[in-house]
Amino acid sequence: MRFRTVLAAALLATALGAAPAAAETAVTFELPTPSGPHAIGERDVHLVDQARNRELMISVWYPTRPGAGPKARYLPAKAAPYFDQGAAPALGLPTGKIDWAAVETHARANAPVQGRWPVVVYSPGWASLRALGSATAEDLASRGYIVVTIDHTGEAPFVVFPDGRVVFSQGSKDLVAGMRTRVADVRFALDQLPGIPGLGQSMDLSRVGAIGHSFGGDTAAEVSTVDSRVDAAADLDGWLAYDVDGKQLTRAGAEGVSRPVLLMGSSGSTSDGQARSHRTSPAWKSLWEHTSSPKQEITLATAMHYSYTDVQWFLPKLAQRVPVDPKVQQTRIGTIDPRASIAVQRSAIAGFFGRYVS
């Protein structure tokens, strides 16, 4: 099985039938403190695409005034048991030991937005959840961006809607069709952002970036090839291919991109354990050679695939309080120091979007 689908497969198995269980203890964690000067707010927004008969849930993260209301939760309460049963074992964590519903973000729920800001859209990995990009979204928002994180309904293991419905994954493994759907999701979200009450007028859609982890990073690169609104794209450890051997390239991988692009790799994204770069990955090499726009590449050699998600931070924290399988932990996030990993990512991502989107 492809490395990037291990956690996704566990989440999907839960969504398709595992019985959720409540946490037995009050073990929680805190996300890394955002590094920017702004306090941040967060609002979950329900979007309906009538043309495609499709619904999406997004989270919008944005600068606000300090102390404006209660903190936003990391996960909706109804989603927490599914996350516990699906993600915990795949991460080497015991089930029923972490109170996922009680985990808070640094953002203030439904706080008023302050100012007018550039926009960055975030897409998660294949069959994964937008929540795992919360720390990245928070940090960018604290630095003066409005960040929109998207769950891709029908592919995500579960999506909780405001009326209480939980829509589970359809279990498709068709990555090519999935990419078409994802690109349409991102473009539809961009279409709808100006109309979000209380938020839309604060979004400067003349300045837009796209970012994502794994297949979400590939999605960001792909959107930049077809939507002129996207000024720059950051791919966090994505394959740029639909197969593990890198023979069936995405459009961005095959043809390159016409926008500035940031590629960030790890040792956990290749079948032979080499750190992913344009020298070791055929798909990255192809994008590199076909892209004349500014391009940047950073590889964290002792990191692994989920080092580019919140897992990098919370798994070592939780390992101090609950039993964690050390082999699984190393497979997911490697041996890199979490603070060093996050510091490099924050600096690179903020610097990249600061040059090409701000």
Side-chain angles (χ1 to χ4, degrees):
M1 180 180 291
R2 302 175 66 181
F3 185 90
R4 71 178 175 193
T5 63
V6 174
L7 178 55
L11 285 165
L12 177 58
T14 300
L16 294 178
E24 298 173 355
T25 64
V27 174
T28 63
F29 60 88
E30 291 185 355
L31 293 172
T33 303
S35 60
H38 302 288
I40 54 177
E42 186 271 342
R43 187 192 303 177
D44 294 332
V45 179
H46 178 209
L47 300 178
V48 179
D49 186 345
Q50 300 286 359
R52 294 190 297 153
N53 191 28
R54 185 166 176 75
E55 298 176 79
L56 297 174
M57 286 300 299
I58 64 173
S59 292
V60 185
W61 310 77
Y62 48 88
T64 188
R65 66 174 186 269
K71 288 186 177 180
R73 299 290 178 173
Y74 188 68
L75 291 168
K78 195 164 185 176
Y82 294 104
F83 191 88
D84 179 74
Q85 293 293 296
L91 297 174
L93 291 164
T95 61
K97 296 297 184 181
I98 296 108
D99 189 353
W100 296 99
V103 177
E104 296 178 333
T105 69
H106 294 96
R108 300 290 175 173
N110 303 311
V113 65
Q114 297 269 336
R116 183 172 170 82
W117 311 98
V119 175
V120 174
V121 181
Y122 176 92
S123 178
W126 176 257
S128 189
L129 298 165
R130 72 188 193 274
L132 291 180
S134 295
T136 296
E138 285 195 334
D139 194 64
L140 282 171
S142 77
R143 292 173 182 253
Y145 295 86
I146 293 181
V147 185
V148 178
T149 59
I150 302 176
D151 272 341
H152 298 285
T153 311
E155 178 205 304
F158 46 83
V159 180
V160 178
F161 288 98
D163 61 4
R165 285 177 299 128
V166 181
V167 176
F168 297 111
S169 171
Q170 297 173 358
S172 173
K173 297 179 180 180
D174 188 339
L175 291 153
V176 176
M179 179 63 81
R180 288 195 296 268
T181 299
R182 281 167 160 261
V183 169
D185 286 349
V186 173
R187 301 186 76 182
F188 174 72
L190 286 172
D191 291 341
Q192 298 301 303
L193 294 182
I196 297 176
L199 290 177
Q201 295 304 308
S202 294
M203 300 185 190
D204 184 354
L205 290 170
S206 70
R207 299 179 291 167
V208 175
I211 187 173
H213 168 246
S214 193
F215 201 61
D218 296 347
T219 302
E222 203 79 358
V223 171
S224 76
T225 70
V226 298
D227 197 313
S228 61
R229 290 173 294 185
V230 176
D231 298 305
D235 186 342
L236 309 182
D237 217 26
W239 266 252
L240 293 171
Y242 298 113
D243 63 309
V244 71
D245 297 320
K247 295 180 180 178
Q248 189 182 4
L249 304 187
T250 64
R251 175 175 173 174
E255 301 177 6
V257 296
S258 60
R259 299 287 189 270
V261 62
L262 169 65
L263 302 177
M264 298 192 74
S266 77
S267 295
S269 55
T270 58
S271 58
D272 57 7
Q274 292 189 77
R276 182 172 293 282
S277 73
H278 74 275
R279 296 178 179 86
T280 60
S281 163
W284 280 34
K285 181 175 185 289
S286 176
L287 178 141
W288 202 260
E289 292 176 345
H290 288 91
T291 296
S292 58
S293 299
K295 47 189 180 283
Q296 182 181 359
E297 179 182 83
I298 296 174
T299 297
L300 300 179
T302 56
M304 297 294 270
H305 194 52
Y306 284 95
S307 293
Y308 289 103
T309 70
D310 296 347
V311 178
Q312 172 73 93
W313 182 260
F314 71 61
L315 191 56
K317 293 290 185 182
L318 291 174
Q320 298 173 11
R321 302 187 63 187
V322 299
V324 175
D325 186 328
K327 292 183 179 179
V328 176
Q329 180 172 336
Q330 183 169 340
T331 300
R332 298 294 177 263
I333 59 174
T335 59
I336 192 170
D337 179 84
R339 292 185 181 275
S341 174
I342 289 166
V344 171
Q345 292 179 53
R346 287 179 165 181
S347 177
I349 293 166
F352 176 71
F353 286 131
R355 282 190 296 277
Y356 302 116
V357 174
S358 291

